[in-house]
Amino acid sequence: MPRPFDLDPYFRALTTLPGVGPRIAPLMERLVGGPKVIDALWHKPIDYIDRRFAPPISEAPAGKIATISVVIGKHAPNARRQQPYRIACSDASGTMSLVFFNPRKKWLQEQLPEGARRVVSGKVDYYQGRAQIVNPDFVPEAERKTLETVEPVYPLTAGVTNKTMNKAILGALRLVRPLPEWLDEAHKKRENWPSWDEAMASVHKPMREADLEGANPARARLAYDELLANQLTLLLVRSRQRKLAGRSYDGDGAVRARLRAALPFELTGAQEKALIDISADMAEPARMLRLLQGDVGSGKTVVAALALAQAVESGAQGAIIAPTEILARQHGESLKPLLEAAGVRAVVLTGRDKGAARETILKQIASGAAQVVIGTHALFQKDVAYQDLGLAVIDEQHRFGVQQRLMLSEKGKGVDVLVMTATPIPRTLTLTAYGDMEVSRLDEKPPGRKPIDTRLFSMDKIESIAEGLQRRISEGARVYWVCPLVEESDVMDLAAAEERYDILKQRFGERVGLVHGKMKADERDVVMAKFAAGDLDVLVATTVIEVGVNVPEATIMVIEHAERFGLSQLHQLRGRVGRGGDQSYCFLVYAGPLGEIAKERLNIMRDSEDGFVIAEKDLMLRGGGDVLGVRQSGLPVFKNADLNMHGDLLATARDDARLIVQRDPNLEGERSEALRYLLYLYECEQAFANIRSG
Ligand code: ADP
Ligand code: MG
């Protein structure tokens, strides 16, 4: 399905816009968030300059832009270079000065001859009690209209002035043409929304304060468009997954029973409840698409193991996919013995398996000799063929995209999907990331966990912290020591960690290890394994200690420069301790002095261990922005919709999308033709292509 050709202009390079050359283009690309004309059009004004204000000279307020009709008076050329060139002028109410720095004198004398009538415009200020405008714009009276404009003010960056931005966007607006209307006419009318082209023109021509707000009809329409594209895409992907017939995986319970018998603990109520949901979904012939959300340490892995067991009972294979090498290996270490105790044959496959070893594993997967496959996204690769994949568990899914989810479902017939995440995603965000995915929550921690004792220390206490550690280590404690991310510099990052490593080694001797992002994965694994085995007491790490790493004997977490981390990141890091029965500690070390908000944020960490509470309070403190590290997490980042503002539009967009797919499942009707334009504008066309080919 090719892109409608009348959309081509929107996808031209920024350099095709007036005033955007090869020097400015990369700056503008970073500013607007993309290399294309459409990206410039999504860049919306944050303010405007109103030049229509036309007071008499005597009433022109300082600091405001005014456009005034005047008669030009005497010129006072500058005697020295540093002095400005002044021209007096007046209207019936009073006099003022026009001030020019380093002008071409001859040109000024021609343009503003004494006695001429001119319209002048610019910001009025007062100098020695007298009104003046520095470097005013001016035109003859007849051209007054050209000055009485409202100029949008855009978010800018060094090297891209507002003038450049305005010129480029005016050029982009000239490419905007009416498009087939994809909105429901009645809905559009009810909301009083403009058409696509009107909305574009109006968003870039704010005339009042209200025009800058999200509730403005043009902005609301664009936001709705984006949410509709998002919801429709998710629905199309999902209905395609549904169309590929699902299968029923209802085993006899034998493997699950053996697995449960091998567990050293009872499942929590929350785990049991999630398993009832999952088990029922799997038994249904429809495809499962379920999100298992549970804070760090809530025990998601065991739930996954039992789901995999159910797939195996039904004669199918199961796969569990982790975002990183370390996590995949760790899942291997914890799951394999458990599964094997239940008589299930499991293999681990990651990008590091090469050559003959890899061939052997691939053969086991293809023949079905391997009943469960544990690995990284290497499991998606083309040469990995399954005998009969029935269930895919995706751990910490937020790093995988919709596209990868699609690839996965191509790996078998009717693959059920269970997504596991520790990110405390609020309901609205879940909707944008997964559509109407079913959600099970593990809202109960395994019993016997003592709360983690979290304490704040300023950097100058670092010596006494180290001393305290010495005592605890001699009593058998194991310690994570996290060094912070230094913004945009892996090198300095590493330097800080290495320095700390040296200092700690002087104190604690050889039983200190270091892991960082620049190490090869297998070198890193060696160190991690030593720490897990108890051959190291202290593990110094940059933030590479992956989400999910499980060393129950580690009871102390020190985080240096805690003030530099996001709260959700701190929460994830802290979740590395408190996994066994022993009292655990988290020391948040900050470099003072801290601002009010920074202090408050660390207090939240000290006072709560609940991921949802932390996320919520963080949201309140920061008031929007990149809450929960959403950008990092791979959740969708909207260009026109702001969920704080347009959250209620999301539910409508979801219902709208549902109705569209219900009424016209193959998207062949008139509205669907128009929706094709929408999906292309938001570059969601893959979903569309999917529905037709499927
Ligand atoms: P996460 O949800 O962060 O992936 P894990 O699955 O890694 O959590 O579980 C954390 C720890 O809790 C593991 O050591 C696991 O064996 C243990 N655990 C899981 N469920 C229970 C339970 N019901 N009772 C006691 N310990 C449990
Ligand atoms: Mg986990």
Side-chain angles (χ1 to χ4, degrees):
M1 184 85 19
R3 181 168 71 208
F5 72 87
D6 31 342
L7 290 184
D8 288 350
Y10 299 96
F11 291 88
R12 287 182 198 147
L14 288 173
T15 45
T16 61
L17 293 174
V20 185
R23 191 179 56 80
I24 290 190
L27 301 173
M28 192 176 282
E29 174 174 342
R30 213 166 321 133
L31 176 65
V32 304
K36 298 174 297 296
V37 168
I38 188 76
D39 298 306
L41 285 170
W42 297 146
H43 196 63
K44 290 178 286 301
I46 40 165
D47 202 355
Y48 58 89
I49 299 168
D50 190 348
R51 294 184 193 278
R52 293 168 304 177
F53 181 53
I57 290 176
S58 63
E59 288 168 30
K64 238 189 126 169
I65 293 196
T67 298
I68 308 176
S69 291
V70 297
V71 178
I72 303 300
K74 289 228 171 310
H75 287 225
N78 44 329
R80 284 191 310 273
R81 259 200 137 237
Q82 314 70 312
Q83 286 179 339
Y85 188 117
R86 294 180 167 271
I87 304 175
C89 64
S90 60
D91 69 1
S93 77
T95 62
M96 65 189 278
S97 305
L98 307 177
V99 181
F100 297 86
F101 287 90
N102 301 318
R104 284 186 291 132
K105 293 181 188 173
K106 190 154 165 285
W107 180 76
L108 271 189
Q109 282 152 8
E110 276 167 23
Q111 294 294 314
L112 298 169
E114 191 173 341
R117 293 193 147 274
R118 289 288 184 270
V119 184
V120 299
S121 179
K123 195 200 278 172
V124 177
D125 63 72
Y126 283 78
Y127 178 69
Q128 294 176 346
R130 192 177 149 89
Q132 62 176 26
I133 298 178
V134 177
N135 293 328
D137 294 320
F138 53 84
V139 292
E141 196 55 64
E143 292 169 33
R144 177 177 195 105
K145 278 267 164 289
T146 64
L147 275 190
E148 283 183 313
T149 56
V150 181
E151 182 186 318
V153 176
Y154 291 95
L156 300 172
T157 181
V160 181
T161 64
N162 201 45
K163 208 165 161 194
T164 309
M165 207 63 226
N166 264 288
K167 194 169 168 192
I169 286 186
L170 270 180
L173 283 172
R174 277 195 289 275
L175 302 171
V176 173
R177 300 267 182 283
L179 292 176
E181 183 55 80
W182 50 76
L183 295 184
D184 176 63
E185 281 298 340
H187 179 212
K188 179 178 153 202
K189 207 179 233 158
R190 214 164 43 240
E191 297 283 358
N192 217 351
W193 284 340
S195 63
W196 155 258
D197 53 313
E198 290 163 350
M200 265 300 158
S202 137
V203 154
H204 290 287
K205 225 170 266 148
M207 306 289 257
R208 287 170 301 259
E209 277 301 316
D211 294 345
L212 300 168
E213 288 162 13
N216 163 270
R219 287 191 181 228
R221 189 221 148 103
L222 294 182
Y224 187 80
D225 282 352
E226 183 166 38
L227 294 171
L228 182 61
N230 163 266
Q231 289 299 300
L232 196 56
T233 305
L234 289 166
L235 212 67
L236 291 178
V237 168
R238 187 152 185 209
S239 67
R240 161 145 168 98
Q241 283 179 333
R242 282 228 179 92
K243 259 208 262 176
L244 299 171
R247 283 159 59 194
S248 161
Y249 303 100
D250 58 344
D252 58 6
V255 182
R256 275 171 286 173
R258 287 201 295 274
L259 204 151
R260 277 171 181 265
L263 287 178
F265 47 72
E266 296 285 311
L267 295 184
T268 64
Q271 284 170 324
E272 293 287 7
K273 208 160 117 249
L275 278 166
I276 289 172
D277 294 342
I278 292 166
S279 178
D281 279 3
M282 289 182 67
E284 285 285 315
R287 292 184 152 218
M288 172 168 78
L289 188 55
R290 182 172 284 277
L291 181 67
L292 178 62
Q293 201 174 41
D295 212 345
V296 281
S298 59
K300 294 183 291 293
T301 318
V302 107
V303 174
L306 283 158
L308 291 166
Q310 183 167 342
V312 170
E313 279 167 20
S314 321
Q317 288 168 297
I320 177 163
I321 296 138
T324 67
E325 189 79 29
I326 294 183
L327 279 178
R329 299 259 158 222
Q330 189 149 64
H331 273 319
E333 278 155 33
S334 58
L335 280 174
K336 236 176 116 173
L338 200 56
L339 289 165
E340 277 164 4
V344 176
R345 296 180 304 274
V347 294
V348 178
L349 177 70
T350 71
R352 268 169 50 210
D353 297 301
K354 301 250 154 67
R358 181 180 161 84
E359 283 310 313
T360 311
I361 300 171
L362 288 183
K363 269 193 201 122
Q364 289 170 326
I365 298 173
S367 72
Q371 293 167 299
V372 169
V373 190
I374 302 160
T376 55
H377 53 269
L379 301 190
F380 292 125
Q381 275 157 16
K382 270 223 175 62
D383 61 340
V384 185
Y386 294 80
Q387 195 236 348
D388 181 16
L389 183 63
L391 170 69
V393 180
I394 306 181
D395 194 9
E396 312 291 353
Q397 125 96 22
H398 47 274
R399 303 202 201 171
F400 292 108
V402 169
Q403 204 53 34
Q404 278 166 308
R405 233 190 288 155
L406 277 176
M407 281 166 68
L408 187 76
S409 50
E410 311 298 319
K411 284 285 181 198
K413 293 188 208 68
V415 182
D416 278 351
V417 176
L418 178 67
V419 170
M420 306 201 296
T421 178
T423 312
I425 320 169
R427 173 82 191 135
T428 36
L429 284 182
T430 324
L431 207 55
T432 62
Y434 308 108
D436 273 337
M437 199 178 211
E438 260 71 55
V439 180
S440 296
R441 288 221 163 91
L442 296 184
D443 48 9
E444 178 188 354
K445 292 239 158 129
R449 298 270 169 83
K450 297 201 180 72
I452 298 169
D453 185 346
T454 300
R455 302 181 190 181
L456 311 185
F457 293 97
S458 93
M459 198 65 176
D460 47 27
K461 295 281 172 359
I462 202 114
E463 259 308 301
S464 59
I465 294 176
E467 250 163 58
L469 287 186
Q470 193 139 36
R471 188 166 39 81
R472 294 227 164 86
I473 287 171
S474 66
E475 292 162 9
R478 246 175 271 170
V479 181
Y480 290 107
W481 189 299
V482 179
C483 296
L485 212 73
V486 177
E487 190 113 24
E488 284 168 35
S489 165
D490 301 358
V491 183
M492 280 163 68
D493 216 12
L494 182 53
E498 276 174 338
E499 193 186 327
R500 181 59 61 204
Y501 172 63
D502 286 339
I503 293 173
L504 292 174
K505 244 182 17 184
Q506 279 166 28
R507 184 183 278 274
F508 299 115
E510 286 310 307
R511 292 173 61 84
V512 180
L514 171 67
V515 286
H516 57 77
K518 291 266 178 289
M519 279 164 102
K520 289 218 184 73
D522 43 356
E523 291 169 1
R524 215 190 302 164
D525 284 1
V526 168
V527 182
M528 299 284 290
K530 273 189 173 170
F531 183 65
D535 297 336
L536 294 174
D537 297 325
V538 182
L539 184 69
V540 181
T542 54
T543 36
V544 295
I545 15 174
E546 305 285 349
V547 213
V549 168
N550 193 23
V551 181
E553 297 82 2
T555 52
I556 301 177
M557 167 71 60
V558 181
I559 305 177
E560 255 187 80
H561 280 294
E563 78 281 1
R564 291 189 191 160
F565 291 89
L567 288 197
S568 61
Q569 215 178 355
L570 287 177
H571 178 65
Q572 296 285 341
L573 286 169
R574 182 172 58 182
R576 301 307 106 221
V577 297
R579 302 193 145 226
D582 292 339
Q583 175 64 51
S584 289
Y585 300 87
C586 176
F587 300 147
L588 301 177
V589 185
Y590 61 88
L594 290 183
E596 274 310 307
I597 291 191
K599 214 178 285 167
E600 197 46 46
R601 292 176 73 234
L602 292 183
N603 285 340
I604 291 173
M605 288 307 297
R606 186 193 53 203
D607 298 340
S608 177
E609 249 189 85
D610 182 323
F612 274 91
V613 171
I614 291 171
E616 232 161 63
K617 292 211 169 152
D618 196 18
L619 174 67
M620 261 162 49
L621 271 187
R622 285 200 280 179
D626 186 22
V627 193
L628 316 172
V630 165
R631 264 163 222 281
Q632 251 178 25
S633 73
L635 290 170
V637 178
F638 293 115
K639 300 188 180 238
N640 293 312
D642 169 355
L643 290 176
N644 290 323
M645 190 63 134
H646 301 118
D648 49 336
L649 293 182
L650 182 61
T652 316
R654 180 197 49 189
D655 294 343
D656 200 358
R658 267 200 203 140
L659 218 63
I660 290 166
V661 175
Q662 239 168 49
R663 285 196 186 143
D664 183 12
N666 293 319
L667 293 185
E668 288 155 349
E670 195 184 334
R671 186 172 177 204
S672 299
E673 267 316 301
L675 284 164
R676 203 174 99 202
Y677 283 79
L678 173 67
L679 293 181
Y680 269 105
L681 273 177
Y682 282 97
E683 296 172 74
C684 301
E685 64 268 17
Q686 274 140 334
F688 201 88
N690 259 313
I691 196 89
R692 295 238 165 138
S693 66

